[in-house]
């Protein structure tokens, strides 16, 4: 259980040594919580600026209340004092300073992004400064858990009887994984909805939305076409497997019953955007419908006169609430990663793995090339350092690898965009949830490589018209594919039916599909973040200093 540590103290606002006394208390509290010197200095610098502002605008005989709290791996400083509202970013009258110092001060506060919050409620000025978040510790824990899960899975598979492994998976590992995924599903719909509502309530005009939306969707279509081309190229270069090997080899493929009657056309996708009622998108976690409702609500907030400010504050508060819940749930990512990897290793079929090993290697190579292309796009279109991009996105990539779900990774990717990439929340809150629905570059590569591989395995020749039709089918499928684990396998069933390949061909890869799905998800989410960074850069809504820090 996460430990909660809380330090509280009140200081007289009339004291001549107010600033020194408060800073000494904050320094000793943060030091006792184990923060490094550099982190403490940065938090103290922001705190000092805010204390002076609070004192300048305080009512007579008001006390300054200070709270330093650590919970769920996050350490924050809270300041509150009765007084008049002020603008912390541009209130040059709050302290004696010239214009250049004021600019530097504004940049300092804005560089803190979502880690700095100010508001005035009932004539009380409230400041929240996040001093430290243990994201790196969570990343390392997730990697250690993946390694331990791999070792445990290998030991269980080779040392335990099959009956023991079945009981282990059925009564321990699978229930833990199911509980975690249910917890994720709880917050996906609210996070997507409230983040987009908060986003659109900040837009100044509809023309701004149209410009931003066209750039985001344009980037997603560009990377989708590139992904299909990469899949085709890698497959034709490596040529995995022998023509018709599945018809002559002893490889057995389990029969798979999968529904391919679902209409995945663009028309069906467009018609399904508008829900029949307000609650069904939340109950069914339909991301496109949630986005539609959120856009409507966000745009409507600014049109209702005196209630606009109140509703905007309410939606912002709800957005912060569910992001905080997400942070709490994310603490269990290492546990979920351990059980997921262990179950895969225990249940993996060696025969099926060897039959598709060459195709799996081609798939992974294509994924690697596509991720390198994202770096190239960041360098050429975004004029940014691609190494910095991948370093900043490390947490998002590890989370996507663990969860195997673009939708479940949305909260983490939005936080990575705003806190580490420096992307404006306006861009991140719009592009990341949308990308989790229509930007499936990893799925495109998967469908291309394994669609061609299955055709080759079952001796089905692919003509040029069939290849062109296959490419268009894959692009359309990627637009309608859900951002959940296993969606690629469902879409592959549609591809096989299009190519007249027997459906039991799915049995060749069903055992290792979850592993491939992990890499597909990393590709999907990396493309989402890259598009958000490039669009934000083009719209001058990217904090380059934060990106490079």
């Amino acid at each position: 259980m996460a430990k909660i540590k809380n330090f509280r103290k009140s200081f007289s606002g009339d004291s001549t040594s107010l600033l020194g006394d408060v800073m000494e208390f904050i320094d000793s509290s943060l030091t006792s919580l184990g923060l490094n010197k550099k982190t403490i200095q940065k938090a103290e610098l922001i705190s000092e600026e805010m204390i002076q502002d609070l004192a300048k605008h305080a009512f007579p005989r008001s006390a300054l209340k200070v709270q330093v709290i650590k919970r769920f791996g996050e350490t924050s400083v809270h300041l509150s004092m009765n007084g008049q509202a002020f603008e912390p970013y541009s209130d040059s009258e709050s302290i004696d300073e010239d214009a250049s110092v004021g600019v530097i001060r504004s940049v300092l506060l804005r560089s803190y992004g979502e880690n700095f919050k100010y508001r005035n409620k009932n004539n009380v000025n409230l400041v929240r400064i996040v001093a430290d978040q243990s994201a790196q510790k969570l990343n390392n824990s997730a990697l250690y858990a993946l390694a331990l899960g791999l070792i445990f899975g290998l030991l269980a598979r080779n040392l335990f009887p099959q009956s023991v492994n079945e009981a282990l998976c059925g009564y321990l590992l699978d229930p833990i994984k199911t509980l975690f995924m249910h917890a994720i599903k709880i917050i996906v719909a609210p996070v997507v909805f409230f983040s987009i509502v908060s986003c659109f309530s900040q837009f100044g005009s509809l023309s701004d939305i149209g410009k931003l939306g066209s750039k985001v969707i344009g980037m997603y279509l560009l990377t989708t076409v590139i992904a299909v081309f990469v899949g085709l190229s890698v497959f034709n270069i490596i040529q995995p497997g022998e023509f018709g090997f599945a018809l002559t080899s002893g490889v057995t493929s389990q029969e798979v019953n999968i529904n391919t009657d679902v209409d995945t056309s663009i028309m069906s996708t467009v018609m399904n955007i508008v829900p029949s009622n307000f609650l069904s998108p939340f109950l069914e976690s339909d991301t496109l419908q949630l986005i539609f409702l959120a856009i409507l609500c966000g745009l409507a907030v600014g049109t209702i006169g005196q209630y606009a400010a109140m509703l905007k504050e309410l939606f912002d508060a709800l957005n912060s609430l569910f992001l905080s819940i997400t942070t709490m749930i994310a603490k269990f990512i290492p546990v979920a990663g351990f059980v997921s990897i262990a179950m895969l290793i225990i249940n993996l079929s060696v025969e099926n793995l060897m039959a598709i090993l060459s195709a799996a290697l081609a798939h992974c190579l294509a994924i690697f090339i596509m991720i390198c292309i994202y770096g190239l796009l960041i360098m050429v279109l975004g004029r940014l350092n691609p190494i910095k991009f991948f370093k900043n996105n490390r947490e998002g990539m590890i989370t996507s690898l663990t969860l195997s779900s673009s939708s479940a990774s949305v909260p983490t990717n939005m936080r990575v965009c705003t806190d580490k990439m420096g992307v404006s929340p306006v861009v991140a809150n719009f592009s990341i949830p949308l990308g989790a629905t229509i930007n499936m570059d990893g799925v495109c590569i998967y469908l291309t490589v394994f669609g061609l591989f299955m055709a080759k395995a079952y001796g089905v020749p692919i003509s040029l018209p069939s290849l062109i039709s296959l490419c268009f089918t894959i692009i359309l499928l990627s637009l309608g594919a859900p951002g959940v684990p296993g969606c690629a396998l469902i879409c592959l069933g549609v591809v096989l039916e299009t190519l007249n390949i027997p459906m039991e061909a799915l049995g060749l890869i069903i055992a290792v599909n979850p592993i491939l799905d992990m890499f597909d998800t990393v590709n999907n989410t990396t493309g989402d973040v890259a598009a958000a960074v490039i669009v934000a850069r083009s719209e001058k809504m990217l904090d380059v200093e934060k990106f490079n820090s």
Side-chain angles (χ1 to χ4, degrees):
M1 181 177 294
K3 295 181 179 179
I4 299 179
K5 296 184 178 180
N6 195 353
F7 302 90
R8 296 173 180 264
K9 194 170 183 180
S10 295
F11 299 84
S12 172
D14 298 328
S15 173
T16 56
S17 60
L18 173 66
L19 181 60
D21 293 342
V22 175
M23 294 307 300
E24 183 180 353
F25 171 75
I26 293 175
D27 182 80
S28 61
S29 299
L30 293 177
T31 301
S32 66
L33 292 176
L35 272 64
N36 62 61
K37 186 176 180 180
K38 184 178 180 181
T39 302
I40 292 175
Q41 289 177 343
K42 187 175 181 181
E44 288 178 343
L45 187 61
I46 302 292
S47 299
E48 183 177 356
E49 295 287 344
M50 287 298 97
I51 291 169
Q52 296 181 71
D53 271 349
L54 292 173
K56 285 286 184 179
H57 295 84
F59 296 143
R61 295 181 297 279
S62 295
L64 174 61
K65 298 179 180 179
V66 184
Q67 179 183 17
V68 179
I69 184 170
K70 181 177 182 178
R71 57 188 173 191
F72 306 119
E74 179 183 280
T75 304
S76 56
V77 178
H78 299 256
L79 308 172
S80 64
M81 196 173 192
N82 294 337
Q84 298 176 344
F86 61 91
E87 173 51 59
Y89 296 110
S90 60
D91 190 3
S92 59
E93 297 180 358
S94 60
I95 54 178
D96 296 328
E97 58 187 2
D98 57 30
S100 61
V101 175
V103 171
I104 295 174
R105 178 173 178 274
S106 177
V107 171
L108 173 66
L109 294 179
R110 292 186 186 278
S111 68
Y112 235 58
E114 290 297 310
N115 290 332
F116 169 77
K117 292 285 188 180
Y118 163 81
R119 64 172 178 151
N120 181 283
K121 183 177 181 181
N122 298 327
N123 290 324
V124 178
N125 288 313
L126 304 170
V127 175
R128 175 177 177 267
I129 303 166
V130 178
D132 181 62
Q133 291 177 309
S134 57
Q136 183 60 44
K137 182 177 180 180
L138 179 61
N139 291 346
N140 293 337
S141 299
L143 290 176
Y144 297 150
L146 291 175
L148 290 175
L150 176 63
I151 296 172
F152 178 80
L154 290 173
L155 292 176
R157 176 169 180 160
N158 291 287
L159 299 180
F160 298 164
Q162 183 178 355
S163 58
V164 174
N165 284 333
E166 289 178 354
L168 181 65
C169 292
Y171 294 101
L172 180 62
L173 300 182
D174 188 58
I176 292 176
K177 181 180 179 181
T178 301
L179 287 173
F180 180 77
M181 293 309 299
H182 285 176
I184 288 292
K185 290 177 182 178
I186 290 174
I187 50 92
V188 167
V191 165
V192 171
F193 180 78
F194 290 115
S195 65
I196 294 181
V197 171
S198 299
C199 163
F200 276 85
S201 64
Q202 301 175 35
F203 277 104
S205 64
L206 290 176
S207 60
D208 293 336
I209 300 175
K211 183 180 179 181
L212 177 63
S214 62
K215 284 191 175 183
V216 171
I217 295 174
M219 277 300 306
Y220 287 157
L221 290 177
L222 172 64
T223 57
T224 297
V225 173
I226 294 176
V228 174
F229 177 77
V230 168
L232 285 172
S233 301
V234 171
F235 182 86
N236 287 323
I237 292 174
I238 295 181
Q239 288 292 328
E242 297 294 332
F243 190 80
F245 81 90
L247 300 176
T248 57
S249 68
V251 177
T252 59
S253 57
Q254 66 189 91
E255 184 177 355
V256 180
N257 295 320
I258 194 167
N259 182 17
T260 60
D261 295 331
V262 179
D263 189 355
T264 57
S265 65
I266 286 290
M267 179 61 69
S268 174
T269 301
V270 172
M271 294 297 295
N272 192 51
I273 288 177
V274 181
S276 58
N277 62 75
F278 195 89
L279 294 179
S280 63
F282 292 90
L283 298 176
E284 301 171 6
S285 294
D286 191 314
T287 311
L288 277 178
Q289 292 183 355
L290 281 171
I291 291 174
F292 174 80
L293 290 179
I295 291 174
L296 281 183
C297 292
L299 294 177
V301 165
T303 65
I304 55 177
Q306 59 179 328
Y307 299 107
M310 180 185 67
L311 278 178
K312 185 179 183 301
E313 185 175 345
L314 173 63
F315 284 125
D316 287 342
L318 289 171
N319 185 36
S320 298
L321 169 65
F322 285 101
L323 289 178
S324 297
I325 295 175
T326 302
T327 301
M328 296 166 59
I329 295 175
K331 301 302 177 184
F332 297 93
I333 285 179
V335 178
F338 174 86
V339 300
S340 297
I341 293 297
M343 287 180 62
L344 291 177
I345 299 301
I346 291 173
N347 297 320
L348 198 62
S349 170
V350 177
E351 292 78 12
N352 286 352
L353 175 61
M354 294 304 297
I356 66 164
L357 181 60
S358 57
L361 291 176
H363 170 269
C364 292
L365 177 60
I367 292 290
F368 175 76
I369 292 174
M370 190 64 202
I371 290 178
C372 292
I373 289 176
Y374 293 139
L376 183 63
L377 293 174
I378 288 289
M379 182 175 63
V380 175
L381 299 181
R383 304 183 305 282
L384 297 166
N385 187 342
I387 297 177
K388 280 286 187 181
F389 168 78
F390 290 117
K391 182 178 179 180
N392 294 342
N393 194 39
R394 180 171 50 189
E395 179 187 357
M397 296 176 76
I398 292 175
T399 300
S400 302
L401 182 72
T402 303
L403 297 181
S404 297
S405 170
S406 298
S407 295
S409 304
V410 164
T412 299
N413 290 326
M414 287 196 299
R415 180 164 54 82
V416 166
C417 280
T418 55
D419 294 355
K420 297 187 177 182
M421 297 291 183
V423 176
S424 167
V426 174
V427 177
N429 292 347
F430 175 78
S431 62
I432 297 300
L434 182 63
T437 302
I438 69 172
N439 188 42
M440 297 287 177
D441 298 340
V443 174
C444 287
I445 291 176
Y446 175 94
L447 297 179
T448 304
V449 171
F450 285 101
L452 295 175
F453 175 73
M454 295 299 186
K456 186 175 183 180
Y458 281 83
V460 178
I462 302 295
S463 61
L464 181 59
S466 298
L467 184 61
I468 295 175
S469 176
L470 174 65
C471 292
F472 276 107
T473 300
I474 290 172
I475 292 174
L476 297 181
L477 281 172
S478 71
L479 296 177
V484 296
C487 74
L489 191 66
I490 298 174
C491 295
L492 184 58
V494 179
V495 171
L496 296 183
E497 189 174 70
T498 302
L499 297 175
N500 294 320
I501 299 172
M503 196 60 61
E504 58 267 20
L506 290 177
L508 291 174
I509 64 168
I510 194 171
V512 295
N513 183 74
I515 296 178
L516 302 174
D517 198 26
M518 290 179 175
F519 292 101
D520 289 340
T521 307
V522 172
N523 193 326
N524 293 341
T525 58
T526 303
D528 296 344
V529 176
V533 170
I534 292 172
V535 172
R537 176 70 162 166
S538 67
E539 290 292 302
K540 298 181 180 179
M541 302 175 74
L542 179 75
D543 187 339
V544 180
E545 290 185 4
K546 179 180 288 189
F547 180 91
N548 292 321
S549 63

